[in-house]
Amino acid sequence: MKNKTLIFNWKMNPLTAEEAVDLASASDYKNVVIAPPFIFLNEIGKLFKNAKLGAQDLYWEEKGAFTGEVSAKQLAEAGVSYAIIGHSERRHKMGETDGMTAKKVLAAIKNNLTAVLCIGETEQERAEGKTNQILERQLVNGLSLAKAEGILNDSNLLIAYEPVWAIGTGKAQTAEGAMETSAFIKSLLKKEIDMDIRVLYGGSVTSQNLGEFLGYNEISGALVGGASLKKDEVKKMAEIIEK
Ligand code: PGA
């Protein structure tokens, strides 16, 4: 499929380097970005012939006394080319704010990484009819610093629409619903930065439903968690994207 990207977010998996190498070898496809835990980046980066390396997070300062953090610059030096920013687990489990995502987007782009800014509403926000308002807030704030510096373009930015209620729950958004929301996000981007930016969908994507999402022009790929840890699923998803 033309111009569609799959990002595999391994989260805090697998347990050992051996398993990571095995899974990475089975996931080395074109148009695939693999975001492993930091500890495996070096080792699996060496074996890729087709896939690209992604980071699950980054820190905005270049270097110094920031215990436990990894900078955008260090990631770039390690061969990373994509960085997931503002994933819902970071926002909701680690207290990441819109202000932090803005600094991370800026740092990613300044270090020649493609920033993948994740935005999405919780179940409660959705029930209260606040979805669009939440998406707009996360998007506008997350892009604010990079926008002010005039460094955004259609190849260094991707947006991942990830409804929080669909992540890891097996309850994916419908493809039509995801398409409508992607169209809304694209219209916000047009208004905000006057660019046609690609939007991915994430939340319980599997080889079963991937094709439906990718069938829409408004959806330029998928951010996949759980299914990216299963070799048979990876193979089926790669076959869909490589068509
Ligand atoms: P999931 O995770 O595919 O397991 O729902 C998606 C994500 O967190 O990006």
Side-chain angles (χ1 to χ4, degrees), residues 2-45:
K2 251 183 113 193
N3 216 13
K4 306 257 180 183
T5 304
L6 278 183
I7 303 181
F8 292 161
N9 176 13
W10 288 3
K11 310 190 179 183
M12 204 167 70
N13 299 291
L15 272 183
T16 66
E18 206 176 8
E19 290 170 90
V21 165
D22 183 50
L23 181 59
S25 313
S27 310
D28 185 18
Y29 293 96
K30 244 183 23 199
N31 305 317
V32 167
V33 176
I34 296 172
F38 290 141
I39 194 167
F40 303 134
L41 275 171
N42 260 321
E43 191 142 352
I44 71 170

Side-chain angles (χ1 to χ4, degrees), residues 7 9 11 84 87-89 118 162 166-170 202-206 223-228:
I7 303 181
N9 176 13
K11 310 190 179 183
I84 297 172
H87 187 276
S88 82
E89 285 148 20
C118 302
E162 298 212 301
I167 297 178
T169 58
S204 297
V205 172
T206 65
L223 183 45
V224 186
S228 72

Side-chain angles (χ1 to χ4, degrees), residues 20-97:
V21 165
D22 183 50
L23 181 59
S25 313
S27 310
D28 185 18
Y29 293 96
K30 244 183 23 199
N31 305 317
V32 167
V33 176
I34 296 172
F38 290 141
I39 194 167
F40 303 134
L41 275 171
N42 260 321
E43 191 142 352
I44 71 170
K46 283 185 216 145
L47 60 87
F48 285 160
K49 295 197 173 62
N50 302 300
K52 300 213 163 57
L53 265 188
Q56 296 177 18
D57 187 28
L58 57 79
Y59 195 63
W60 54 84
E61 295 289 349
E62 189 171 300
K63 60 180 190 155
F66 304 99
T67 302
E69 298 294 339
V70 177
S71 75
K73 177 97 177 166
Q74 290 173 317
L75 293 166
E77 294 288 343
V80 167
S81 44
Y82 287 75
I84 297 172
I85 293 168
H87 187 276
S88 82
E89 285 148 20
R90 296 218 55 87
R91 291 179 191 265
H92 298 287
K93 295 183 180 171
M94 281 79 170
E96 193 156 309
T97 62

